[in-house]
Amino acid sequence: MDRFSLIVVSDETSPVRRFEIRKSTVRRALWGAGIAAVVGIGVAVDYVRVRLDNFELASLRKETTERRAQVAEFQQKLEGVDRKLTQLQEFERKIRIIANLPGSAATGGAEVTAVGSEVGDMAEQRDMTEQPGGEGGPDDPFPVDPGSHAPHSRVPRLPSGADVGQRVSLLRDAAEQLGIVAEGQSLSLEELVEALEGKHALLASSPSIWPAKGWLTSRYGMRISPFTNKPQFHAGLDIAGAEGTTVIAPADGRVVFVGERGPMGNSIVIDHGHGMRTQYGHLHDTSVRLGQTVSRGDRIATVGNTGRSTGPHLHYVVEVNGRTKDPLDYIFD
């Protein structure tokens, strides 16, 4: 027989129902059900695998994001260490300049000129309602351009397309370099401390603080004269401020000149010893007398507009052994 008979009896009164099904049809149905079961199991396995992969991928993405954040934080910390080392090196450089120790090459003191050789020392006066560079003001008096002598950073800028491993490798190299720099800086500072022994008087006589509050409108070095519109060497700093702003002594010393001094107007000269002198021009009034001894921080005058000037400001000069130097090389604060 090639058929299966299926007899269905629902109850005693109902007629008997008979169905015949070919054996080939049953076999096909069984084969179809088996294939469907295998396919269903495969789909279910694939679905579970995809879900697990998605979960793992989400976990990896989260971990990668966290690693990138950690790398960025590490880079910021290295950049902070680099800035601190740079500041420390600049601090040491200034101390060596002041103490006349080896290794004191000055960024602004390479070109020098004799005091008094300058004709017309005044800076262009800025609008006093402005705060140059977006900074400045009575409580933030010296908005000096921080990039004027800024060195190249020793921490590399990480490529945007670099993976975490490459970034970590670059930062590891930078950290090793900073470690070498820090070790060398430590040895250099130890030598500096030894060399500074016995130089207390010299340091007390060094003009290491700002003489007045205001805006730094003209630096030491070549500039375009506001009067002749031609290149001219500017032998000091111009610090603009309101008339009557206090001028203080930046170091211990003795007053060797008080009075009128040509285009400088009302002026003061202080001899700090050790070959160092400071000059203050365009003063409104003076608070010291000839021969008077002053200490660092003492009031000596007020900012004015006397002499050949384009507006109220202090012209400040540092002289070492008869030659002018960049005052910024001596200022610490």
Side-chain angles (χ1 to χ4, degrees):
M1 292 181 61
D2 60 348
R3 296 174 181 271
F4 289 107
S5 295
L6 178 63
I7 299 174
V8 179
V9 180
S10 56
D11 55 42
E12 295 178 352
T13 60
S14 298
V16 175
R17 295 180 181 181
R18 182 186 183 92
F19 300 94
E20 292 187 353
I21 304 173
R22 291 179 178 275
K23 291 182 178 179
S24 59
T25 302
V26 174
R27 285 195 295 269
R28 292 192 189 99
L30 291 175
W31 275 105
I35 293 172
V38 170
V39 171
I41 293 173
V43 170
V45 170
D46 285 342
Y47 175 76
V48 172
R49 184 183 297 115
V50 168
R51 289 297 300 269
L52 291 176
D53 288 345
N54 286 338
F55 177 78
E56 184 178 359
L57 179 60
S59 178
L60 289 174
R61 284 177 175 172
K62 180 180 178 182
E63 183 179 353
T64 300
T65 301
E66 292 175 351
R67 290 287 179 84
R68 288 184 180 273
Q70 291 172 353
V71 169
E73 182 181 2
F74 184 39
Q75 182 181 10
Q76 290 179 352
K77 289 182 178 179
L78 282 182
E79 289 173 349
V81 171
D82 185 31
R83 286 192 296 270
K84 291 296 183 183
L85 281 174
T86 300
Q87 292 171 359
L88 192 59
Q89 289 170 339
E90 176 66 7
F91 182 78
E92 179 187 356
R93 185 185 69 84
K94 290 187 177 185
I95 291 179
R96 289 183 180 275
I97 290 172
I98 291 173
N100 194 27
L101 295 173
S104 61
T107 56
E111 296 184 49
V112 295
T113 184
V115 175
S117 65
E118 177 186 2
V119 179
D121 56 276
M122 286 58 61
E124 293 179 297
Q125 179 66 29
R126 293 186 180 183
D127 183 355
M128 296 305 293
T129 62
E130 289 186 339
Q131 296 182 358
E135 300 175 356
D139 297 324
D140 185 11
F142 305 111
V144 181
D145 178 11
S148 58
H149 301 305
H152 180 70
S153 174
R154 284 164 289 219
V155 179
R157 303 305 301 176
L158 301 181
S160 58
D163 59 30
V164 174
Q166 291 174 319
R167 290 168 179 254
V168 170
S169 178
L170 288 172
L171 291 179
R172 184 184 297 113
D173 293 342
E176 291 177 357
Q177 181 184 3
L178 288 179
I180 294 172
V181 172
E183 183 177 357
Q185 187 66 47
S186 176
L187 295 174
S188 181
L189 288 175
E190 289 176 5
E191 295 174 357
L192 178 62
V193 170
E194 293 178 3
L196 286 176
E197 293 180 359
K199 291 185 178 286
H200 302 293
L202 175 60
L203 295 177
S205 301
S206 299
S208 58
I209 63 175
W210 289 93
K213 291 185 177 181
W215 295 276
L216 183 58
T217 56
S218 189
R219 292 173 177 266
Y220 180 92
M222 294 302 298
R223 69 168 187 179
I224 300 299
S225 169
F227 297 102
T228 65
N229 207 31
K230 295 180 179 179
Q232 172 197 58
F233 191 85
H234 189 238
L237 302 179
D238 283 345
I239 303 171
E243 189 167 299
T245 299
T246 297
V247 178
I248 62 174
D252 299 351
R254 182 174 61 89
V255 179
V256 296
F257 179 85
V258 180
E260 287 282 338
R261 202 169 195 182
M264 293 276 251
N266 292 336
S267 301
I268 292 175
V269 179
I270 299 177
D271 188 339
H272 302 283
H274 309 282
M276 284 189 283
R277 288 190 173 196
T278 52
Q279 300 184 37
Y280 313 81
H282 311 302
L283 303 173
H284 178 66
D285 57 29
T286 58
S287 307
V288 293
R289 64 184 183 279
L290 188 64
Q292 179 178 338
T293 299
V294 295
S295 299
R296 179 179 286 136
D298 286 352
R299 174 191 171 104
I300 60 173
T302 58
V303 171
N305 192 28
T306 60
R308 193 180 181 198
S309 173
T310 58
H313 73 283
L314 170 68
H315 179 68
Y316 175 55
V317 176
V318 171
E319 174 191 354
V320 180
N321 296 324
R323 310 286 289 183
T324 60
K325 297 285 187 177
D326 187 350
L328 292 177
D329 284 336
Y330 294 83
I331 296 174
F332 286 98
D333 63 349

